[in-house]
Amino acid sequence: AQSVSQHNHHVILSEAASLELGCNYSYGGTVNLFWYVQYPGQHLQLLLKYFSGDPLVKGIKGFEAEFIKSKFSFNLRKPSVQWSDTAEYFCAVNPSGNTGKLIFGQGTTLQVKP
Amino acid sequence: GAGVSQSPSNKVTEKGKDVELRCDPISGHTALYWYRQSLGQGLEFLIYFQGNSAPDKSGLPSDRFSAERTGGSVSTLTIQRTQQEDSAVYLCASTAKVSTNTGELFFGEGSRLTVL
């Protein structure tokens, strides 16, 4: 079945540690890719997106993600996390040609210890 | 309004009762989505409206679930004869542009449904 998989369900890091959250999808062809973030008590918001062009995408708050087509992956990275990055992170895919339906992964809870 | 508005923010109901959840999208947004967020399950797509087109209902888990969107704006998600497994946060989102390059979804705060 077509799906989006996030490998890490719960990640705990200390401040200044580097972060990489995995995301793989199983859709063929052209896709649009997203990372959304949900900070405690807040609504989901867009962190970054990839439609085309440079496969290394930079988002808000120092986050970036790399699209590797051959691996069907769109991993999220940040060189040095902060306590304020504690949140739940969702990878999402919009299979091109599918008019708007975003398929989300299960989410990864990131806890950053001060 | 400035953002997507959902009501109620919290709803506790008894098993077997019907519930209605409301979503008021951002003004001018033509596309509206309902998702369900359960603990450890991520976001599950339920239904999607785009303008005057027939909605994509492919994510509705059973015929107890239905949704409508009146006048291309406000949407109501109805769950009939609620079951305990319906307990979740129901999220609404809207977006202005829908094409093969879908833009950002703007989410509401969600409606937390608890079925006793």
Side-chain angles (χ1 to χ4, degrees):
Chain A
Q2 296 178 321
S3 66
V4 180
S5 297
Q6 292 182 238
H7 316 300
N8 319 97
H9 297 296
H10 196 162
V11 174
I12 302 174
L13 295 173
S14 298
E15 277 194 314
S18 64
L19 170 72
E20 181 160 1
L21 301 182
C23 174
N24 285 91
Y25 60 93
S26 61
Y27 300 90
T30 304
V31 294
N32 300 320
L33 300 157
F34 305 80
W35 277 95
Y36 280 80
V37 60
Q38 188 171 28
Y39 296 103
Q42 297 187 26
H43 58 84
L44 274 159
Q45 56 189 282
L46 183 69
L47 196 56
L48 49 77
K49 61 186 177 184
Y50 172 81
F51 287 171
S52 63
D54 188 344
L56 185 61
V57 178
K58 295 192 183 297
I60 60 172
K61 302 185 180 183
F63 285 90
E64 63 180 31
E66 184 175 12
F67 170 51
I68 303 179
K69 188 174 182 179
S70 61
K71 295 185 178 180
F72 297 88
S73 70
F74 190 56
N75 292 355
L76 181 71
R77 300 195 293 248
K78 186 171 183 179
S80 176
V81 294
Q82 301 173 316
W83 176 79
S84 58
D85 293 325
T86 294
E88 190 160 15
Y89 293 82
F90 293 91
C91 180
V93 175
N94 168 240
S96 211
N98 183 317
T99 54
K101 188 163 71 179
L102 269 192
I103 308 301
F104 285 83
Q106 307 95 314
T108 297
T109 301
L110 171 65
Q111 182 183 352
V112 180
K113 295 183 175 180
Chain B
V4 176
S5 178
Q6 291 188 245
S7 61
S9 55
N10 277 287
K11 176 72 176 179
V12 180
T13 190
E14 294 180 348
K15 178 181 174 181
K17 300 285 188 182
D18 297 352
V19 296
E20 286 189 350
L21 307 177
R22 175 190 168 101
C23 173
D24 198 346
I26 293 172
S27 179
H29 279 190
T30 58
L32 185 147
Y33 306 73
W34 283 98
Y35 286 85
R36 179 167 69 176
Q37 185 175 19
S38 305
L39 193 62
Q41 299 297 315
L43 274 73
E44 176 187 6
F45 169 79
L46 297 178
I47 189 169
Y48 153 65
F49 297 89
Q50 167 53 25
N52 295 321
S53 302
D56 178 348
K57 304 179 182 180
S58 60
L60 294 178
S62 77
D63 58 8
R64 295 186 296 104
F65 288 72
S66 63
E68 62 178 19
R69 189 179 184 192
T70 54
S73 180
V74 172
S75 176
T76 302
L77 176 69
T78 301
I79 308 173
Q80 295 179 310
R81 306 182 302 282
T82 52
Q83 303 294 313
Q84 289 182 331
E85 60 262 29
D86 299 334
S87 296
V89 177
Y90 290 82
L91 293 170
C92 178
S94 69
T95 189
K97 176 182 176 183
V98 178
S99 66
T100 53
N101 290 319
T102 301
E104 174 182 358
L105 295 191
F106 294 84
F107 283 85
E109 303 280 350
S111 292
R112 180 177 297 278
L113 174 65
T114 303
V115 181
L116 302 177

